[in-house]
Coordinates of all heavy atoms in Angstrom, one line a residue:
M270 N 89.5 103.5 89.7 CA 88.7 102.5 90.4 C 89.7 101.5 91.1 O 90.6 101.0 90.5 CB 87.9 101.7 89.3 CG 87.2 100.5 89.9 SD 86.7 99.2 88.7 CE 85.4 100.0 87.9
A271 N 89.4 101.2 92.3 CA 90.2 100.2 93.1 C 89.9 98.8 92.5 O 88.8 98.6 91.9 CB 89.8 100.2 94.5
T272 N 90.8 98.0 92.6 CA 90.6 96.6 92.1 C 89.7 95.9 92.9 O 89.7 95.9 94.2 CB 92.0 95.9 92.0 OG1 92.9 96.6 91.2 CG2 91.8 94.5 91.5
K273 N 88.7 95.2 92.3 CA 87.7 94.4 93.1 C 87.6 93.0 92.5 O 87.6 92.8 91.3 CB 86.3 95.1 92.9 CG 85.2 94.4 93.7 CD 83.9 95.1 93.7 CE 83.1 95.0 92.4 NZ 81.8 95.5 92.5
L274 N 87.7 92.0 93.4 CA 87.5 90.6 93.1 C 86.2 90.2 93.5 O 85.8 90.4 94.6 CB 88.6 89.8 93.8 CG 90.0 90.2 93.5 CD1 91.0 89.4 94.4 CD2 90.4 90.0 92.1
T275 N 85.4 89.6 92.6 CA 84.1 89.1 92.9 C 84.0 87.6 92.6 O 84.3 87.1 91.5 CB 83.0 89.8 92.0 OG1 83.2 91.2 92.2 CG2 81.6 89.4 92.4
V276 N 83.6 86.8 93.6 CA 83.5 85.4 93.5 C 82.0 85.2 93.0 O 81.1 85.5 93.7 CB 83.7 84.6 94.8 CG1 83.5 83.1 94.6 CG2 85.1 85.0 95.4
L277 N 81.9 84.7 91.8 CA 80.6 84.5 91.2 C 80.0 83.1 91.5 O 80.7 82.1 91.5 CB 80.6 84.7 89.7 CG 81.1 86.1 89.2 CD1 81.3 86.1 87.7 CD2 80.2 87.2 89.7
S278 N 78.7 83.1 91.9 CA 78.1 81.8 92.2 C 78.2 80.9 90.9 O 77.9 81.4 89.8 CB 76.7 82.0 92.7 OG 76.6 82.6 93.9
N279 N 78.5 79.7 91.1 CA 78.6 78.7 90.0 C 79.5 79.2 88.8 O 79.2 78.9 87.7 CB 77.2 78.4 89.5 CG 76.3 77.9 90.6 OD1 76.8 77.2 91.5 ND2 75.1 78.2 90.6
G280 N 80.5 80.0 89.1 CA 81.3 80.5 88.0 C 82.7 81.0 88.4 O 83.3 80.5 89.4
S281 N 83.1 82.0 87.7 CA 84.5 82.4 87.8 C 84.8 83.4 88.9 O 83.9 83.8 89.7 CB 84.9 83.1 86.5 OG 84.0 84.2 86.3
L282 N 86.0 83.8 89.0 CA 86.4 84.9 89.9 C 86.6 86.1 89.0 O 87.5 86.1 88.1 CB 87.7 84.5 90.6 CG 88.4 85.6 91.5 CD1 87.5 85.8 92.7 CD2 89.7 85.1 91.9
R283 N 85.8 87.1 89.1 CA 85.9 88.3 88.3 C 86.8 89.4 88.9 O 86.7 89.6 90.1 CB 84.5 88.9 88.0 CG 84.5 90.0 87.0 CD 83.1 90.5 86.6 NE 82.5 91.0 87.8 CZ 81.2 91.0 88.0 NH1 80.3 90.5 87.1 NH2 80.6 91.5 89.1
V284 N 87.6 89.9 88.1 CA 88.6 91.0 88.5 C 88.2 92.2 87.7 O 88.2 92.2 86.5 CB 90.0 90.6 88.2 CG1 91.0 91.6 88.7 CG2 90.4 89.2 88.8
D285 N 87.9 93.3 88.5 CA 87.5 94.6 87.9 C 88.5 95.6 88.4 O 88.8 95.7 89.6 CB 86.1 95.0 88.3 CG 85.0 94.2 87.7 OD1 84.8 94.4 86.5 OD2 84.4 93.4 88.4
G286 N 89.0 96.5 87.6 CA 89.8 97.6 88.0 C 90.6 98.1 86.8 O 90.7 97.5 85.8
N287 N 91.3 99.2 87.1 CA 92.2 99.7 86.0 C 93.7 99.7 86.4 O 94.5 100.3 85.7 CB 91.7 101.1 85.6 CG 91.7 102.1 86.8 OD1 92.3 101.8 87.8 ND2 91.1 103.2 86.6
D288 N 94.0 99.0 87.5 CA 95.4 99.0 87.9 C 95.7 97.6 88.5 O 95.9 97.5 89.7 CB 95.7 100.1 88.9 CG 97.2 100.2 89.2 OD1 98.0 99.8 88.3 OD2 97.5 100.7 90.2
F289 N 95.6 96.6 87.7 CA 96.0 95.2 88.3 C 96.8 94.5 87.2 O 96.8 94.9 86.0 CB 94.8 94.4 88.6 CG 93.9 94.0 87.5 CD1 94.1 92.9 86.7 CD2 92.7 94.8 87.2 CE1 93.3 92.6 85.6 CE2 91.9 94.5 86.1 CZ 92.2 93.4 85.4
E290 N 97.6 93.6 87.7 CA 98.4 92.8 86.8 C 98.2 91.3 87.2 O 98.1 91.0 88.4 CB 99.9 93.2 87.1 CG 100.9 92.4 86.2 CD 102.3 92.9 86.5 OE1 102.7 93.1 87.7 OE2 103.1 93.1 85.5
L291 N 98.2 90.4 86.2 CA 98.1 89.0 86.4 C 99.4 88.4 85.9 O 99.8 88.6 84.8 CB 96.9 88.4 85.6 CG 96.6 86.9 85.8 CD1 96.2 86.6 87.2 CD2 95.6 86.5 84.8
V292 N 100.1 87.6 86.8 CA 101.3 87.0 86.4 C 101.3 85.5 86.6 O 100.5 85.0 87.4 CB 102.5 87.6 87.3 CG1 102.6 89.1 87.1 CG2 102.3 87.4 88.8
D293 N 102.2 84.8 85.9 CA 102.2 83.4 86.0 C 103.1 83.0 87.2 O 103.6 83.9 87.9 CB 102.7 82.7 84.7 CG 104.1 83.1 84.3 OD1 104.9 83.6 85.2 OD2 104.5 82.8 83.2
A294 N 103.4 81.7 87.4 CA 104.1 81.2 88.5 C 105.6 81.7 88.5 O 106.2 81.8 89.6 CB 104.1 79.7 88.6
Q295 N 106.1 82.1 87.4 CA 107.5 82.6 87.3 C 107.5 84.2 87.4 O 108.6 84.8 87.3 CB 108.1 82.2 86.0 CG 108.4 80.7 85.9 CD 107.2 79.9 85.7 OE1 106.3 80.3 84.9 NE2 107.1 78.8 86.4
G296 N 106.3 84.8 87.6 CA 106.3 86.3 87.7 C 106.1 87.0 86.3 O 106.2 88.2 86.3
N297 N 105.9 86.2 85.2 CA 105.8 86.8 83.9 C 104.3 87.3 83.7 O 103.4 86.6 84.0 CB 106.1 85.8 82.8 CG 107.5 85.3 82.9 OD1 108.5 86.1 83.1 ND2 107.7 84.0 83.0
P298 N 104.1 88.6 83.3 CA 102.8 89.1 83.2 C 102.1 88.5 82.0 O 102.7 88.3 80.9 CB 103.0 90.6 83.0 CG 104.4 90.8 82.5 CD 105.2 89.6 83.0
Y299 N 100.8 88.3 82.1 CA 99.9 88.0 81.0 C 99.6 89.3 80.3 O 99.4 90.3 80.9 CB 98.6 87.4 81.5 CG 98.7 86.0 82.0 CD1 99.0 85.7 83.3 CD2 98.5 84.9 81.1 CE1 99.1 84.4 83.7 CE2 98.6 83.6 81.5 CZ 98.9 83.3 82.8 OH 99.1 82.0 83.3
G300 N 99.5 89.3 79.0 CA 99.1 90.5 78.2 C 97.6 90.6 78.2 O 96.9 89.8 77.6
L301 N 97.1 91.6 78.9 CA 95.7 91.8 79.0 C 95.1 92.8 78.1 O 93.9 93.1 78.1 CB 95.3 92.2 80.5 CG 95.8 91.2 81.6 CD1 95.5 91.7 83.0 CD2 95.2 89.8 81.3
A302 N 95.9 93.4 77.2 CA 95.5 94.3 76.2 C 94.6 95.4 76.7 O 93.6 95.8 76.1 CB 94.7 93.5 75.1
G303 N 94.9 95.9 77.9 CA 94.2 97.1 78.4 C 92.9 96.8 79.1 O 92.1 97.7 79.4
R304 N 92.5 95.5 79.2 CA 91.2 95.1 79.8 C 91.1 95.6 81.2 O 92.1 95.6 82.0 CB 91.0 93.6 79.8 CG 90.7 93.1 78.4 CD 90.6 91.6 78.4 NE 90.2 91.0 77.1 CZ 91.0 90.9 76.1 NH1 92.3 91.2 76.1 NH2 90.5 90.4 75.0
E305 N 90.0 96.0 81.6 CA 89.7 96.5 83.0 C 88.8 95.4 83.7 O 88.4 95.7 84.8 CB 89.1 97.9 83.0 CG 90.1 98.9 82.6 CD 89.5 100.3 82.7 OE1 88.4 100.5 83.2 OE2 90.3 101.2 82.3
R306 N 88.5 94.4 83.0 CA 87.7 93.3 83.6 C 88.1 92.0 83.0 O 88.2 91.8 81.7 CB 86.2 93.4 83.4 CG 85.4 92.2 83.8 CD 83.9 92.4 83.6 NE 83.3 93.2 84.6 CZ 82.0 93.5 84.7 NH1 81.2 93.1 83.8 NH2 81.6 94.3 85.7
I307 N 88.5 91.0 83.8 CA 88.8 89.7 83.4 C 88.1 88.7 84.3 O 87.7 89.0 85.4 CB 90.3 89.4 83.3 CG1 91.0 89.5 84.7 CG2 91.0 90.3 82.3 CD1 92.4 89.1 84.8
S308 N 88.0 87.4 83.8 CA 87.4 86.4 84.6 C 88.4 85.2 84.7 O 88.9 84.8 83.7 CB 86.1 85.9 84.0 OG 85.1 86.9 84.1
I309 N 88.6 84.8 85.9 CA 89.6 83.7 86.2 C 88.8 82.4 86.5 O 87.9 82.4 87.3 CB 90.5 84.1 87.4 CG1 91.2 85.4 87.2 CG2 91.5 83.0 87.7 CD1 92.2 85.5 86.1
C310 N 89.3 81.4 85.8 CA 88.6 80.0 86.0 C 88.8 79.5 87.4 O 89.9 79.6 88.0 CB 89.3 79.1 85.0 SG 88.7 77.4 85.2
R311 N 87.7 79.0 88.0 CA 87.8 78.4 89.3 C 87.5 76.9 89.2 O 87.7 76.2 90.1 CB 86.7 79.0 90.3 CG 87.1 80.3 90.8 CD 86.2 80.7 92.0 NE 84.8 80.6 91.8 CZ 83.9 80.2 92.7 NH1 84.4 79.8 93.9 NH2 82.7 80.2 92.5
C312 N 86.9 76.4 88.1 CA 86.4 75.1 88.0 C 87.5 74.1 87.5 O 87.4 72.9 87.6 CB 85.2 75.0 87.2 SG 85.5 75.2 85.4
G313 N 88.5 74.7 86.7 CA 89.5 73.8 86.1 C 89.2 73.3 84.8 O 89.9 72.5 84.2
L314 N 88.0 73.6 84.2 CA 87.6 73.0 83.0 C 87.9 73.9 81.8 O 87.8 73.5 80.6 CB 86.1 72.8 83.0 CG 85.6 71.8 84.0 CD1 84.0 71.7 84.1 CD2 86.1 70.4 83.8
S315 N 88.3 75.2 82.0 CA 88.6 76.1 80.9 C 89.7 75.6 80.0 O 90.7 75.1 80.4 CB 88.9 77.5 81.4 OG 89.3 78.3 80.4
K316 N 89.5 75.8 78.7 CA 90.6 75.5 77.7 C 91.5 76.6 77.6 O 92.5 76.6 76.9 CB 90.0 75.1 76.4 CG 89.0 74.0 76.4 CD 89.6 72.7 76.1 CE 88.6 71.6 76.0 NZ 87.9 71.1 77.2
N317 N 91.2 77.8 78.3 CA 92.0 79.0 78.2 C 92.5 79.4 79.5 O 92.5 80.6 79.8 CB 91.1 80.1 77.5 CG 91.9 81.3 77.0 OD1 93.0 81.1 76.7 ND2 91.2 82.4 77.1
K318 N 92.8 78.4 80.4 CA 93.3 78.8 81.8 C 94.5 79.7 81.7 O 95.3 79.6 80.8 CB 93.7 77.5 82.5 CG 92.5 76.6 82.9 CD 93.1 75.5 83.8 CE 92.5 74.2 83.6 NZ 92.4 73.5 82.3
P319 N 94.6 80.7 82.6 CA 93.8 80.8 83.8 C 92.5 81.6 83.6 O 91.7 81.8 84.5 CB 94.7 81.6 84.7 CG 95.4 82.5 83.8 CD 95.6 81.7 82.6
F320 N 92.2 81.9 82.4 CA 90.9 82.7 82.1 C 89.7 81.8 81.9 O 89.8 80.7 81.4 CB 91.1 83.5 80.8 CG 92.4 84.4 80.9 CD1 93.5 84.1 80.3 CD2 92.3 85.6 81.7 CE1 94.7 84.9 80.4 CE2 93.4 86.4 81.8 CZ 94.6 86.0 81.2
C321 N 88.6 82.3 82.3 CA 87.3 81.5 82.2 C 86.8 81.6 80.7 O 86.9 82.6 80.1 CB 86.3 82.2 83.1 SG 84.7 81.4 83.0
D322 N 86.4 80.4 80.2 CA 85.8 80.4 78.9 C 84.4 79.9 78.9 O 83.8 79.6 77.9 CB 86.6 79.5 77.9 CG 86.6 78.1 78.3 OD1 86.0 77.6 79.3 OD2 87.3 77.3 77.6
G323 N 83.8 79.8 80.1 CA 82.4 79.4 80.3 C 82.2 77.9 80.4 O 81.0 77.4 80.4
S324 N 83.3 77.1 80.4 CA 83.1 75.7 80.4 C 82.5 75.1 81.7 O 82.0 74.0 81.7 CB 84.5 75.0 80.3 OG 85.1 75.2 79.0
H325 N 82.4 76.0 82.7 CA 81.9 75.6 84.0 C 80.4 75.4 84.0 O 79.8 74.7 84.8 CB 82.2 76.6 85.1 CG 81.6 77.9 84.8 ND1 82.3 78.9 84.0 CD2 80.4 78.5 85.1 CE1 81.5 80.0 83.9 NE2 80.4 79.8 84.6
K326 N 79.7 76.0 83.0 CA 78.2 76.0 83.0 C 77.7 74.5 83.0 O 78.0 73.7 82.2 CB 77.7 76.7 81.8 CG 77.9 78.2 81.8 CD 77.3 78.9 80.6 CE 77.4 80.4 80.8 NZ 78.6 81.1 80.7
G327 N 76.9 74.2 84.1 CA 76.3 72.9 84.3 C 77.3 71.9 84.9 O 76.9 70.8 85.1
H328 N 78.5 72.3 85.2 CA 79.5 71.4 85.7 C 80.2 71.8 87.0 O 81.1 71.2 87.5 CB 80.6 71.1 84.7 CG 80.1 70.6 83.4 ND1 79.7 69.3 83.2 CD2 80.0 71.2 82.2 CE1 79.4 69.1 82.0 NE2 79.5 70.3 81.3
F329 N 79.8 73.0 87.5 CA 80.5 73.5 88.7 C 79.4 74.2 89.6 O 78.7 75.1 89.1 CB 81.5 74.5 88.2 CG 82.3 75.2 89.3 CD1 83.2 74.5 90.1 CD2 82.1 76.5 89.6 CE1 84.0 75.1 91.0 CE2 82.8 77.2 90.6 CZ 83.8 76.5 91.3
E330 N 79.3 73.8 90.8 CA 78.4 74.5 91.7 C 79.0 75.0 93.0 O 79.8 74.3 93.6 CB 77.3 73.5 92.1 CG 76.4 73.1 91.0 CD 75.2 72.2 91.4 OE1 74.9 72.2 92.6 OE2 74.7 71.4 90.6
H331 N 78.8 76.3 93.2 CA 79.3 76.9 94.4 C 78.5 78.1 94.7 O 78.5 79.0 93.9 CB 80.8 77.2 94.3 CG 81.3 78.0 95.5 ND1 81.5 79.4 95.4 CD2 81.6 77.6 96.7 CE1 82.0 79.8 96.6 NE2 82.0 78.7 97.4
D332 N 77.9 78.1 95.8 CA 77.1 79.3 96.2 C 78.0 80.3 96.9 O 78.5 80.1 98.0 CB 76.0 78.9 97.2 CG 75.1 80.1 97.6 OD1 75.0 81.1 96.8 OD2 74.5 80.0 98.7
A333 N 78.4 81.4 96.1 CA 79.3 82.3 96.6 C 78.7 83.3 97.6 O 78.0 84.2 97.3 CB 79.9 83.1 95.5
T334 N 78.8 83.0 98.9 CA 78.3 83.8 100.0 C 79.5 84.1 100.9 O 80.2 83.3 101.4 CB 77.3 83.0 100.8 OG1 76.2 82.5 99.9 CG2 76.6 83.8 101.9
A335 N 79.6 85.4 101.2 CA 80.7 85.9 102.0 C 80.6 85.5 103.4 O 79.6 85.3 104.0 CB 80.8 87.4 101.9
F336 N 81.8 85.3 104.0 CA 81.9 84.9 105.4 C 83.2 85.5 106.0 O 84.1 85.8 105.2 CB 81.8 83.4 105.7 CG 82.8 82.6 105.0 CD1 84.1 82.3 105.6 CD2 82.7 82.2 103.7 CE1 85.0 81.6 104.9 CE2 83.6 81.4 103.0 CZ 84.8 81.1 103.6
D337 N 83.3 85.5 107.3 CA 84.6 86.0 107.9 C 85.5 84.9 108.2 O 85.1 83.9 108.8 CB 84.2 86.8 109.2 CG 83.4 88.0 109.0 OD1 83.6 88.6 107.9 OD2 82.7 88.4 109.9
L338 N 86.8 85.0 107.9 CA 87.8 84.1 108.2 C 88.1 84.3 109.7 O 88.1 85.4 110.2 CB 89.0 84.2 107.4 CG 88.9 83.8 105.9 CD1 90.2 84.2 105.2 CD2 88.7 82.3 105.8
P339 N 88.6 83.2 110.4 CA 89.0 83.4 111.8 C 90.4 84.2 111.7 O 91.1 84.2 110.7 CB 89.2 82.0 112.3 CG 89.3 81.2 111.1 CD 88.6 81.8 110.0
A340 N 90.7 84.9 112.8 CA 91.9 85.6 112.9 C 93.1 84.6 112.8 O 93.0 83.5 113.2 CB 92.0 86.3 114.3
P341 N 94.2 85.1 112.1 CA 95.3 84.2 112.0 C 95.9 83.9 113.3 O 95.9 84.7 114.2 CB 96.3 85.0 111.1 CG 95.8 86.4 111.1 CD 94.4 86.4 111.5
K342 N 96.5 82.7 113.4 CA 97.2 82.4 114.7 C 98.5 83.1 114.7 O 99.2 83.3 113.7 CB 97.5 80.9 114.7 CG 96.2 80.0 114.7 CD 96.6 78.6 114.8 CE 95.3 77.7 114.8 NZ 95.6 76.3 114.8
P343 N 98.9 83.6 115.9 CA 100.1 84.3 116.0 C 101.3 83.4 115.7 O 101.3 82.2 116.0 CB 100.2 84.8 117.5 CG 99.1 84.2 118.2 CD 98.2 83.5 117.2
A344 N 102.3 84.0 115.1 CA 103.5 83.2 114.8 C 104.2 82.7 116.1 O 104.2 83.4 117.1 CB 104.5 84.0 114.0
A345 N 104.7 81.5 116.1 CA 105.5 81.0 117.2 C 106.7 81.9 117.4 O 107.4 82.3 116.5 CB 105.8 79.6 117.0
P346 N 107.0 82.2 118.7 CA 108.2 83.0 118.9 C 109.5 82.2 118.5 O 109.6 81.0 118.6 CB 108.2 83.2 120.4 CG 107.3 82.2 121.0 CD 106.3 81.8 119.9
V347 N 110.4 82.9 117.9 CA 111.7 82.4 117.5 C 112.7 82.6 118.6 O 113.0 83.7 119.0 CB 112.1 83.0 116.2 CG1 113.5 82.5 115.7 CG2 111.1 82.9 115.1
T348 N 113.3 81.4 119.0 CA 114.3 81.5 120.0 C 115.7 81.6 119.3 O 116.0 80.8 118.5 CB 114.3 80.2 120.9 OG1 113.0 80.0 121.4 CG2 115.3 80.3 122.0
P349 N 116.4 82.7 119.7 CA 117.7 82.9 119.0 C 118.7 81.8 119.4 O 118.5 81.2 120.6 CB 118.2 84.2 119.5 CG 117.4 84.6 120.7 CD 116.1 83.8 120.6
P350 N 119.6 81.4 118.6 CA 120.5 80.3 119.0 C 121.4 80.8 120.2 O 121.6 82.0 120.3 CB 121.4 80.1 117.7 CG 121.2 81.3 116.9 CD 119.8 81.9 117.3
A351 N 121.7 79.9 121.0 CA 122.5 80.2 122.2 C 123.9 80.7 121.8 O 124.5 80.2 120.8 CB 122.7 79.0 123.1
A352 N 124.4 81.7 122.5 CA 125.7 82.2 122.2 C 126.8 81.2 122.7 O 126.6 80.5 123.7 CB 125.9 83.5 122.9
P353 N 127.9 81.1 122.0 CA 128.9 80.2 122.4 C 129.4 80.6 123.8 O 129.5 81.8 124.1 CB 130.0 80.2 121.4 CG 129.6 81.3 120.5 CD 128.3 81.8 120.8
D354 N 129.9 79.6 124.6 CA 130.4 79.9 125.9 C 131.7 80.6 125.8 O 132.7 80.1 125.2 CB 130.5 78.6 126.7 CG 131.0 78.8 128.1 OD1 131.2 79.9 128.5 OD2 131.1 77.7 128.8
A355 N 131.7 81.8 126.4 CA 132.9 82.6 126.3 C 134.1 82.0 127.0 O 135.3 82.3 126.6 CB 132.7 84.0 126.9
G356 N 133.9 81.2 128.0 CA 135.0 80.5 128.7 C 135.5 79.2 128.1 O 136.4 78.6 128.5
A357 N 134.8 78.8 127.0 CA 135.2 77.5 126.4 C 136.4 77.7 125.6 O 136.8 78.7 125.2 CB 134.0 77.0 125.5
A358 N 137.1 76.5 125.3 CA 138.3 76.5 124.5 C 137.9 77.0 123.1 O 136.9 76.7 122.6 CB 138.9 75.1 124.5
P359 N 138.8 77.7 122.4 CA 138.6 78.1 121.0 C 138.4 76.9 120.1 O 139.0 75.9 120.3 CB 139.8 79.0 120.7 CG 140.8 78.8 121.8 CD 140.1 78.1 122.9
L360 N 137.6 77.1 119.1 CA 137.4 76.1 118.1 C 138.7 76.0 117.2 O 139.2 77.0 116.8 CB 136.2 76.3 117.2 CG 134.9 76.3 118.0 CD1 133.8 76.7 117.0 CD2 134.6 75.0 118.6
A361 N 139.1 74.8 116.8 CA 140.2 74.6 115.9 C 139.9 74.8 114.5 O 138.8 74.6 114.0 CB 140.9 73.3 116.2

């Protein structure tokens, strides 16, 4: 099963799949004990962050309705540094 992320209305971000990894800011993996479904806290109230513990109930409202993001802006062109003048005096 491909990994699927579902934004739940008034709730968590649900992750379903059999080939995903959740890591902390330093890249260390969380031990998921073989789970194929986890829920990630979106409200900030969970006592078990980053996992959802249901603390959002009655305290978090968001109607999860999909929409299209605008296309990303193209990156600004990078101008290479000017080459040193070949006729200039050598640097000391």
Side-chain angles (χ1 to χ4, degrees):
M270 168 200 294
T272 301
K273 180 171 81 169
L274 304 172
T275 305
V276 180
L277 300 175
S278 292
N279 304 324
S281 62
L282 178 65
R283 187 174 63 211
V284 183
D285 290 288
N287 56 14
D288 188 25
F289 64 86
E290 180 179 44
L291 182 65
V292 299
D293 67 13
Q295 292 74 41
N297 301 310
Y299 286 88
L301 302 178
R304 287 176 174 80
E305 294 185 2
R306 174 182 281 180
I307 60 172
S308 292
I309 304 297
C310 176
R311 288 196 304 142
C312 72
L314 298 173
S315 176
K316 304 269 187 285
N317 195 29
K318 287 186 221 49
F320 305 101
C321 177
D322 68 1
S324 295
H325 62 271
K326 289 183 170 76
H328 301 285
F329 180 72
E330 291 185 24
H331 174 257
D332 182 24
T334 303
F336 59 91
D337 294 331
L338 290 174
K342 295 180 181 179
V347 177
T348 306
D354 184 0
L360 297 174

